């Protein structure tokens, strides 16, 4: 246990140094707050003891500096014997406990032992919280493929970072990953706030407090919101930030949809979640798990499972989960066959050897407004792409940001 003593009285400093050493602690002692600031960063004390007869502004500055570097750092006030009002005032202003001058070695030993025991208890509690979070992450983000295990390892590695960029297609469970980046960080017991597509960013930043703010679709938000995000990234204090992008950030920068400075700031802290089509046997594993959640008795026959694993899953895990639930509802017996699966996937039995789907037609009549034609075209394309906004953007040769804006404008939530 490291103790920094700040006391202008040299005799008192020496007495306190001996008491701390006798109790098994390491100690440094200085006569002023100015000297103490250097030792805060070099010595990294667990406890700072300051004399109440230091100037009030020095005590205030020292206390703020001590807690800024280490929020759980303990502060003790050192007051003349019998001056209870000084001790009470110090504790009202942030001190955790107090000592009388001249110092009692027994009191010092007792307080140091209390600090040790409380710190050990906090460490045990934190270790238990992290163990539980790891187990919950494995349940909420299941998978055994190499690509997926790499992503899960990255969550553990990146959790200590203050800011992380999560990339991946729609349906790759980015928000769940963000929640576990938060849970596995030192902020994990604090608040997790959300700003969907950057809306209400400033208010959400305040709600997050000392926890984590999750911001979706930073490649879709306005330049003004991106400026606020960059300011939050550059701030020395504030909540942790987990940001998501639906497209390759480098490509988004090239197309002018994302500020280069944001990508540069986060380039060492990127978590990429692979699409389901690149996760091999995880399709079958997840399909069986989702079916167990949907039904106590149902199972897929081999041909049905082949149909599931052959699908390219443009909507990723979200699409697979919904497809399995629909198959369980449509099945007429305990075994789900290929007819049901292909029906759910939009591939009838007759199309067994082909993935081609009939392209819908948008009919235009003289007198139709351009806005109405655009709305129907986007709606039909969304349906054809099974709600996958990235695929819709590619088919219409529009930016993903434009598609999101048009969906919002026309109320085409899919």
């Amino acid at each position: 246990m490291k103790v920094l003593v700040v006391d202008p009285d040299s005799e008192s400093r020496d007495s306190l140094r001996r008491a701390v050493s006798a109790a098994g602690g390491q100690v440094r002692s200085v006569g002023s707050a100015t000297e103490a600031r250097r030792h805060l960063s070099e010595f990294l004390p667990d406890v700072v003891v300051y004399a109440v007869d230091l100037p009030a502004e020095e005590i205030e500055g020292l206390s703020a500096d001590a807690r800024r570097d280490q929020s759980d750092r303990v502060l003790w006030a050192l007051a003349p014997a019998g001056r209870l009002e000084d001790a009470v005032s110090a504790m009202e202003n942030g001190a955790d406990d107090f000592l009388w001058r001249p110092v009692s070695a027994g009191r010092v030993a007792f307080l140091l032992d209390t600090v040790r025991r409380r710190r050990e208890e906090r460490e045990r509690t934190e270790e238990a919280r992290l163990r539980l979070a790891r187990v919950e992450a494995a349940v909420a983000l299941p998978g055994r493929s190499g690509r997926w295990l790499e992503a899960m390892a990255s969550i553990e590695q990146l959790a200590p970072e203050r800011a992380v960029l999560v990339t991946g297609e729609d349906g790759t469970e980015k928000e769940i990953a963000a929640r576990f980046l938060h849970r596995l960080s030192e902020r994990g017991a604090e608040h997790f706030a959300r700003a969907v597509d950057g809306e209400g960013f400033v208010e959400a930043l305040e709600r997050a407090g000392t926890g984590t703010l999750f911001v979706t679709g930073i490649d879709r938000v306005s330049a003004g919101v991106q400026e606020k995000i960059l300011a939050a990234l550059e701030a020395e204090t504030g909540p942790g930030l987990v940001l998501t992008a639906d497209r390759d950030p480098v490509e988004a920068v090239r197309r002018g949809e994302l500020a280069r400075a944001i990508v540069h700031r986060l380039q060492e802290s990127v978590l990429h979640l692979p699409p389901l089509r690149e996760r091999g046997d995880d399709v079958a594993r997840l399909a069986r798990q989702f079916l167990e959640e949907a039904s106590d008795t149902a199972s897929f026959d081999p041909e049905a499972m082949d149909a599931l694993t052959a699908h390219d899953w443009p909507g990723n895990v979200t699409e697979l989960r919904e497809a399995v639930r629909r198959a369980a509802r449509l099945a007429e017996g305990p075994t789900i066959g290929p007819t049901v699966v292909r029906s759910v996937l939009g591939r009838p039995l007759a199309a067994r050897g082909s993935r081609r789907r009939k392209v819908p037609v948008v009919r235009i009549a003289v007198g139709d407004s351009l806005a109405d034609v655009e709305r129907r075209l986007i709606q039909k394309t969304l349906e054809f792409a099974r709600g996958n906004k990235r695929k819709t953007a590619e088919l219409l040769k529009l930016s993903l940001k434009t598609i999101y804006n048009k969906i919002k404008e026309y109320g085409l939530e899919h």
Side-chain angles (χ1 to χ4, degrees):
M1 191 68 63
K2 295 181 179 180
V3 179
L4 175 62
V5 178
V6 190
D7 187 355
D9 186 323
S10 60
E11 184 176 339
S12 175
R13 287 201 308 269
D14 291 342
S15 175
L16 189 47
R17 185 191 306 115
R18 289 191 296 271
V20 172
S21 297
Q26 302 176 51
V27 61
R28 287 190 186 180
S29 59
V30 295
S32 71
T34 302
E35 294 175 88
R37 286 189 176 87
R38 177 170 58 85
H39 292 281
L40 286 175
S41 57
E42 293 179 359
F43 183 50
L44 299 176
D46 302 293
V47 179
V48 175
V49 187
Y50 65 87
V52 297
D53 45 11
L54 287 167
E57 62 274 11
E58 289 191 18
I59 292 175
E60 184 178 351
L62 176 63
S63 300
D65 290 344
R67 291 270 169 75
R68 183 181 300 113
D69 295 338
Q70 185 177 317
S71 61
D72 64 345
R73 183 170 277 149
V74 176
L75 299 178
W76 296 342
L78 180 62
R83 295 276 295 275
L84 184 60
E85 65 275 14
D86 288 346
V88 170
S89 176
M91 294 187 68
E92 287 176 345
N93 286 291
D96 297 290
D97 220 314
F98 66 91
L99 293 167
W100 294 127
R101 185 198 287 151
V103 170
S104 163
R107 170 78 171 164
V108 171
F110 170 77
L111 289 181
L112 279 177
D113 185 58
T114 299
V115 172
R116 286 192 192 97
R117 286 188 285 104
R118 287 176 179 171
R119 179 156 295 181
E120 289 169 358
E121 179 61 28
R122 282 199 303 271
E123 289 172 353
R124 286 194 294 270
T125 300
E126 180 66 3
E127 287 172 4
R129 185 186 69 79
L130 290 175
R131 283 197 300 271
L132 178 61
R134 292 186 186 101
V135 170
E136 291 177 343
V139 173
L141 295 165
R144 300 296 302 168
S145 67
R147 291 291 307 280
W148 193 243
L149 292 178
E150 287 175 8
M152 295 304 95
S154 293
I155 289 178
E156 185 95 17
Q157 293 164 3
L158 291 170
E161 300 292 334
R162 179 169 172 258
V164 178
L165 174 61
V166 182
T167 64
E169 298 177 2
D170 283 351
T172 50
E173 311 280 56
K174 292 192 289 293
E175 179 164 356
I176 297 177
R179 287 184 179 277
F180 284 101
L181 282 165
H182 166 70
R183 292 282 304 281
L184 291 167
S185 75
E186 62 181 10
R187 303 173 298 277
E190 304 298 327
H191 188 53
F192 181 88
R194 300 168 75 249
V196 177
D197 292 351
E199 290 189 13
F201 176 80
V202 174
E203 295 81 0
L205 197 67
E206 294 174 356
R207 287 199 307 276
T210 56
T212 298
L213 174 59
F214 172 59
V215 186
T216 66
I218 63 167
D219 51 338
R220 301 193 300 271
V221 303
S222 68
V225 173
Q226 290 189 27
E227 288 177 5
K228 293 181 175 68
I229 291 171
L230 183 59
L233 289 170
E234 293 175 341
E236 293 184 2
T237 59
L241 295 167
V242 180
L243 314 174
T244 73
D246 291 324
R247 64 182 303 141
D248 176 16
V250 175
E251 176 65 14
V253 168
R254 188 187 68 78
R255 297 181 64 153
E257 297 171 347
L258 183 59
R260 186 181 303 276
I262 292 178
V263 175
H264 178 74
R265 189 84 184 184
L266 295 168
Q267 61 184 344
E268 301 298 325
S269 303
V270 178
L271 168 65
H272 179 67
L273 299 178
L276 188 55
R277 62 183 173 274
E278 296 178 6
R279 292 176 55 182
D281 292 343
D282 278 352
V283 174
R285 291 190 186 97
L286 292 174
R288 285 191 288 268
Q289 175 178 320
F290 296 154
L291 186 59
E292 288 174 3
E293 295 169 359
S295 171
D296 294 331
T297 58
S299 63
F300 291 110
D301 77 7
E303 196 173 352
M305 186 60 78
D306 287 344
L308 288 170
T309 56
H311 189 59
D312 58 3
W313 299 110
N316 293 289
V317 177
T318 302
E319 183 188 1
L320 174 60
R321 183 185 289 110
E322 182 58 28
V324 170
R325 289 173 179 170
R326 289 174 58 202
R329 290 195 298 268
L330 293 173
E332 296 180 352
T335 301
I336 300 174
T339 302
V340 170
V341 169
R342 291 192 176 96
S343 173
V344 166
L345 298 180
R347 293 167 58 202
L349 190 61
R352 183 175 301 180
S354 171
R355 289 192 179 187
R356 297 185 63 186
R357 296 166 57 206
K358 183 178 179 180
V359 178
V361 174
V362 177
R363 301 189 182 281
I364 302 174
V366 174
D368 290 346
S369 70
L370 286 175
D372 183 57
V373 171
E374 182 180 61
R375 180 189 61 77
R376 285 186 283 130
L377 179 60
I378 293 174
Q379 182 178 31
K380 285 291 187 181
T381 309
L382 264 174
E383 292 171 357
F384 180 73
R386 299 193 184 96
N388 187 309
K389 299 176 183 65
R390 181 185 298 280
K391 184 67 174 176
T392 300
E394 291 173 355
L395 289 170
L396 294 174
K397 295 182 171 52
L398 296 172
S399 71
L400 189 60
K401 182 177 180 180
T402 298
I403 286 297
Y404 272 93
N405 289 339
K406 292 296 183 181
I407 288 172
K408 184 175 181 179
E409 178 183 348
Y410 292 129
L412 299 176
E413 295 301 330
H414 190 275

